[in-house]
Structure formats: C-alpha cells, structure tokens
Amino acid sequence: MFDATAAFSKQFVPHEDGYLFYAGRTAGGKFVSEPEYQELVAQWQSVAGRKGTWKTVAAVFLIIALGMIAKDLFDVGEWTEDVSIWGAVALVVARIMWASFAPRRLVKGRPDVVPPRPLAESKKLARSMLPWRMIISVFIVSTGIFVACLSEMPQTFVNWLWLVGSGAMSAAYGWIAIQKFRDRDQN
C-alpha cells in the first residue's frame, strides 16, 4: 500500500554528482554525495524495508510476550503488560524516528548549495509521497466513521471527539485528493 523506500528517496533531488536534501521547509538545499545517499537509503531499508519490518514485528511480539510471561510467572500485576506494550510502541517509534532524521543529522552544519524551495513545490512533493490507494482508503474509512457518528448524534465527549476527528480527517484527505489530482494535470 505504501512504499516507504520510494517516499524516503523522494526527499533527495538529483544535483550534479550527488543529491540535494532540504532539511526543513525554509532551509536551503544541502549537498549529499552519492555514497552518502546510498548509505542513507540502506539504513532506511534496514528499518522500513521488508527485513526491517519483520525484525520490528518480531521484537514487538517478543517484548509483549515477555511482559505477559512476567505477569503470569511472577504475579507482578497487570501493569507489566501495559509497560511491555508501551515499551514495544516506544521501540517502533524510536526506530522509525532515528532512521527518518538520519539525513538531517548528516547535513547538519553544511552550507546551503541552493536556496529554499518555494512552499508550493514543497507541498507538491509531500503530496507525491502519498499513494492514491492510501488517500482513498483513509478518506473512505474516515468518512464512514464520520457518517456513523453523525447518525447516532453524539452525546458524550468521546463521541464528539470521534465525530470531529473523523470529519477533519475526511475533509483533509478529500482536500489532499483534490490537490493531488490538480498536480497530475499540471505535469
């Protein structure tokens, strides 16, 4: 559904004998050599590629299983399951964030080679990283939840949160779809 390696690679723009990486919306492009680029992609694949994903899944299952075993064997209480689940979530987030910010760490302190990209171009690049299947799926699910919440007329705070959240998500992904469709016509 989502090719994480392709999305990661789109952050780099070919330039002379290497690539440009824009560390932020207002930052200029910083030069990344071909070997550095290949190393960054390899690191990303080790986390978000097929093998990296399976390693993460295995680690999550192991952490949660150890928490459940510890709770049952040592009778330490329900909190061990909660701690193991939160530990597994922290592991996944930490692995992805570390790999995601590797390019920023690499170019930190390097001079800008080119000026910052225009905001419209940055937004277009961000939209290009989202595949149509993901946009359509999220739009359909969030719209379905919104309609279901509307049909019951929310009475609790949590129900209102679901209504507002799903409506906002539906509207946001609808707008992204419209903009992405316009981007296709401009090419």
Coordinates of all heavy atoms in Angstrom, one line a residue, residues 2-12 36-57 95-96 98-103:
F2 N 2.0 1.2 0.7 CA 2.8 2.4 0.8 C 4.3 2.0 0.7 O 4.7 1.2 1.5 CB 2.6 3.1 2.2 CG 3.3 4.3 2.4 CD1 3.0 5.5 1.7 CD2 4.4 4.4 3.3 CE1 3.7 6.7 1.9 CE2 5.1 5.5 3.5 CZ 4.8 6.7 2.8
D3 N 5.0 2.5 -0.3 CA 6.4 2.1 -0.5 C 7.2 3.1 0.3 O 7.5 4.3 -0.2 CB 6.7 2.2 -2.0 CG 8.1 1.7 -2.2 OD1 8.8 1.3 -1.3 OD2 8.5 1.7 -3.4
A4 N 7.6 2.7 1.5 CA 8.4 3.6 2.4 C 9.7 4.0 1.8 O 10.2 5.2 1.9 CB 8.6 3.0 3.7
T5 N 10.4 3.1 1.1 CA 11.7 3.4 0.5 C 11.6 4.5 -0.6 O 12.4 5.4 -0.7 CB 12.4 2.2 0.0 OG1 12.4 1.2 1.1 CG2 13.7 2.4 -0.5
A6 N 10.5 4.3 -1.5 CA 10.3 5.3 -2.5 C 10.0 6.7 -1.9 O 10.5 7.7 -2.4 CB 9.2 4.9 -3.5
A7 N 9.2 6.7 -0.9 CA 8.9 8.0 -0.3 C 10.1 8.6 0.4 O 10.3 9.8 0.3 CB 7.8 7.8 0.8
F8 N 10.9 7.8 1.0 CA 12.2 8.3 1.6 C 13.1 8.9 0.5 O 13.7 9.9 0.7 CB 12.9 7.2 2.4 CG 14.1 7.6 3.1 CD1 14.1 8.2 4.3 CD2 15.4 7.3 2.5 CE1 15.3 8.6 4.9 CE2 16.5 7.7 3.1 CZ 16.5 8.4 4.3
S9 N 13.2 8.2 -0.6 CA 14.1 8.6 -1.7 C 13.6 9.9 -2.3 O 14.5 10.7 -2.9 CB 14.2 7.5 -2.7 OG 14.7 6.3 -2.2
K10 N 12.3 10.2 -2.3 CA 11.8 11.4 -2.9 C 12.3 12.7 -2.2 O 12.2 13.8 -2.7 CB 10.3 11.4 -3.0 CG 9.8 10.5 -4.1 CD 8.3 10.7 -4.2 CE 7.7 9.8 -5.3 NZ 6.3 9.9 -5.4
Q11 N 12.8 12.5 -1.0 CA 13.4 13.7 -0.2 C 14.6 14.2 -0.9 O 15.0 15.3 -0.6 CB 13.7 13.3 1.2 CG 12.5 12.8 2.0 CD 13.0 12.5 3.4 OE1 13.1 13.3 4.3 NE2 13.2 11.2 3.7
F12 N 15.3 13.4 -1.7 CA 16.5 13.8 -2.3 C 16.3 14.1 -3.8 O 15.7 13.4 -4.5 CB 17.5 12.6 -2.2 CG 17.8 12.2 -0.7 CD1 17.0 11.3 -0.1 CD2 18.8 12.9 0.0 CE1 17.3 10.9 1.2 CE2 19.0 12.5 1.3 CZ 18.3 11.5 1.9
E36 N 26.9 8.8 0.3 CA 26.1 9.1 1.5 C 24.7 8.8 1.3 O 24.0 8.2 2.1 CB 26.3 10.6 1.8 CG 27.7 11.0 2.3 CD 27.8 12.5 2.5 OE1 27.2 13.2 1.7 OE2 28.6 12.9 3.4
Y37 N 24.2 9.1 0.1 CA 22.8 8.8 -0.3 C 22.5 7.3 -0.2 O 21.5 6.9 0.4 CB 22.5 9.4 -1.7 CG 21.2 8.9 -2.2 CD1 20.0 9.4 -1.8 CD2 21.1 7.9 -3.2 CE1 18.7 9.0 -2.3 CE2 19.9 7.5 -3.7 CZ 18.7 8.0 -3.3 OH 17.5 7.6 -3.8
Q38 N 23.4 6.5 -0.8 CA 23.2 5.1 -0.8 C 23.2 4.5 0.6 O 22.5 3.6 0.9 CB 24.3 4.4 -1.7 CG 24.3 4.7 -3.1 CD 22.9 4.3 -3.8 OE1 22.3 3.3 -3.4 NE2 22.6 5.0 -4.8
E39 N 24.1 5.1 1.4 CA 24.1 4.6 2.8 C 22.9 5.0 3.6 O 22.3 4.2 4.3 CB 25.3 5.2 3.6 CG 25.5 4.7 5.0 CD 26.7 5.3 5.7 OE1 27.7 5.7 4.9 OE2 26.7 5.4 6.9
L40 N 22.3 6.2 3.3 CA 21.1 6.6 4.0 C 19.9 5.7 3.5 O 19.1 5.3 4.4 CB 20.8 8.1 3.6 CG 21.6 9.1 4.3 CD1 21.4 10.5 3.7 CD2 21.4 9.1 5.8
V41 N 19.8 5.4 2.3 CA 18.8 4.5 1.7 C 18.9 3.1 2.3 O 17.9 2.5 2.7 CB 18.8 4.5 0.2 CG1 17.8 3.4 -0.3 CG2 18.4 5.9 -0.3
A42 N 20.1 2.6 2.4 CA 20.4 1.3 3.0 C 19.9 1.3 4.5 O 19.3 0.3 5.0 CB 21.8 0.9 2.9
Q43 N 20.3 2.3 5.2 CA 19.9 2.4 6.6 C 18.3 2.5 6.7 O 17.8 1.8 7.6 CB 20.5 3.7 7.3 CG 21.9 3.6 7.6 CD 22.5 4.9 8.1 OE1 21.8 5.9 8.2 NE2 23.8 5.0 8.3
W44 N 17.7 3.2 5.9 CA 16.3 3.3 5.9 C 15.6 2.0 5.6 O 14.7 1.5 6.2 CB 15.8 4.4 4.9 CG 14.3 4.5 4.8 CD1 13.5 4.0 3.8 CD2 13.4 5.0 5.9 NE1 12.2 4.3 4.2 CE2 12.1 4.8 5.4 CE3 13.6 5.6 7.1 CZ2 11.0 5.2 6.1 CZ3 12.5 6.0 7.8 CH2 11.2 5.8 7.4
Q45 N 16.2 1.3 4.6 CA 15.6 -0.1 4.2 C 15.8 -1.1 5.4 O 15.0 -1.9 5.6 CB 16.3 -0.6 2.9 CG 15.8 0.1 1.7 CD 16.5 -0.4 0.5 OE1 17.6 -0.8 0.5 NE2 15.8 -0.3 -0.7
S46 N 16.9 -0.9 6.1 CA 17.1 -1.8 7.3 C 16.1 -1.6 8.4 O 15.8 -2.5 9.2 CB 18.5 -1.7 7.8 OG 18.6 -0.4 8.6
V47 N 15.4 -0.5 8.3 CA 14.3 -0.2 9.3 C 13.0 -0.4 8.7 O 12.1 -1.0 9.3 CB 14.5 1.2 9.9 CG1 13.3 1.6 10.7 CG2 15.8 1.4 10.7
A48 N 12.7 0.2 7.5 CA 11.4 0.2 6.9 C 11.2 -0.7 5.8 O 10.1 -0.9 5.3 CB 11.1 1.7 6.5
G49 N 12.3 -1.4 5.4 CA 12.2 -2.4 4.3 C 11.5 -3.7 4.8 O 11.1 -3.8 6.0
R50 N 11.5 -4.7 4.0 CA 10.8 -5.9 4.4 C 11.5 -6.6 5.6 O 10.8 -6.9 6.5 CB 10.8 -6.9 3.2 CG 10.1 -8.2 3.5 CD 9.9 -8.9 2.2 NE 8.8 -8.1 1.5 CZ 8.1 -8.6 0.5 NH1 8.4 -9.7 0.0 NH2 7.2 -7.8 0.0
K51 N 12.8 -6.7 5.5 CA 13.5 -7.4 6.6 C 13.4 -6.6 7.9 O 13.2 -7.1 9.0 CB 15.0 -7.6 6.3 CG 15.2 -8.7 5.3 CD 16.7 -8.9 5.0 CE 16.9 -10.0 4.0 NZ 18.3 -10.2 3.7
G52 N 13.6 -5.2 7.8 CA 13.5 -4.4 8.9 C 12.1 -4.4 9.6 O 12.0 -4.4 10.8
T53 N 11.1 -4.5 8.7 CA 9.7 -4.5 9.3 C 9.5 -5.8 10.0 O 8.9 -5.8 11.1 CB 8.7 -4.4 8.1 OG1 8.9 -3.2 7.5 CG2 7.3 -4.5 8.6
W54 N 10.0 -6.9 9.5 CA 9.8 -8.2 10.1 C 10.6 -8.3 11.4 O 10.2 -8.8 12.4 CB 10.2 -9.4 9.2 CG 9.1 -9.7 8.3 CD1 9.2 -9.5 6.9 CD2 7.9 -10.2 8.6 NE1 8.0 -9.9 6.3 CE2 7.2 -10.4 7.3 CE3 7.2 -10.6 9.7 CZ2 5.9 -10.8 7.3 CZ3 5.9 -11.1 9.7 CH2 5.3 -11.2 8.4
K55 N 11.8 -7.6 11.5 CA 12.6 -7.6 12.7 C 11.8 -6.8 13.8 O 11.8 -7.2 14.9 CB 13.9 -6.9 12.5 CG 14.9 -7.8 11.7 CD 16.2 -7.0 11.5 CE 17.2 -7.8 10.6 NZ 18.4 -7.1 10.4
T56 N 11.2 -5.7 13.4 CA 10.5 -4.8 14.3 C 9.3 -5.6 14.8 O 9.0 -5.6 16.0 CB 10.0 -3.5 13.6 OG1 11.2 -2.8 13.2 CG2 9.3 -2.6 14.6
V57 N 8.5 -6.3 13.9 CA 7.4 -7.1 14.3 C 7.8 -8.1 15.3 O 7.1 -8.3 16.4 CB 6.7 -7.7 13.1 CG1 5.6 -8.7 13.5 CG2 6.0 -6.6 12.3
R95 N 12.8 3.6 16.5 CA 13.5 3.1 15.3 C 13.2 3.9 14.0 O 14.0 4.3 13.3 CB 13.1 1.6 15.0 CG 13.9 0.6 15.8 CD 13.5 -0.8 15.5 NE 13.5 -1.2 14.1 CZ 14.6 -1.8 13.5 NH1 15.7 -2.0 14.2 NH2 14.6 -2.1 12.2
I96 N 11.9 4.2 13.9 CA 11.5 4.9 12.7 C 12.0 6.4 12.7 O 12.4 6.9 11.7 CB 9.9 4.9 12.5 CG1 9.5 3.5 12.1 CG2 9.4 5.9 11.5 CD1 8.0 3.2 12.2
W98 N 14.6 7.6 14.4 CA 16.0 7.6 14.2 C 16.4 7.6 12.8 O 17.2 8.3 12.3 CB 16.7 6.5 15.0 CG 18.2 6.6 15.0 CD1 19.0 5.8 14.2 CD2 19.0 7.5 15.7 NE1 20.3 6.2 14.4 CE2 20.4 7.2 15.3 CE3 18.8 8.5 16.6 CZ2 21.4 7.9 15.8 CZ3 19.9 9.2 17.1 CH2 21.2 8.9 16.7
A99 N 15.8 6.6 12.0 CA 16.1 6.5 10.6 C 15.6 7.7 9.8 O 16.2 8.1 8.8 CB 15.5 5.2 10.1
S100 N 14.4 8.2 10.2 CA 13.8 9.3 9.5 C 14.7 10.6 9.6 O 14.8 11.4 8.6 CB 12.4 9.7 10.0 OG 11.6 8.6 9.8
F101 N 15.3 10.8 10.7 CA 16.1 12.0 10.9 C 17.6 11.8 10.6 O 18.4 12.8 10.7 CB 15.9 12.5 12.3 CG 14.6 13.2 12.6 CD1 13.6 12.5 13.2 CD2 14.3 14.4 12.1 CE1 12.4 13.1 13.4 CE2 13.1 15.0 12.2 CZ 12.1 14.4 12.9
A102 N 18.0 10.7 10.0 CA 19.4 10.5 9.6 C 19.9 11.5 8.6 O 21.0 12.0 8.8 CB 19.5 9.0 9.1
P103 N 19.1 11.8 7.6 CA 19.5 12.8 6.6 C 19.8 14.2 7.3 O 20.7 14.9 7.0 CB 18.4 12.9 5.6 CG 17.7 11.6 5.7 CD 17.8 11.2 7.1

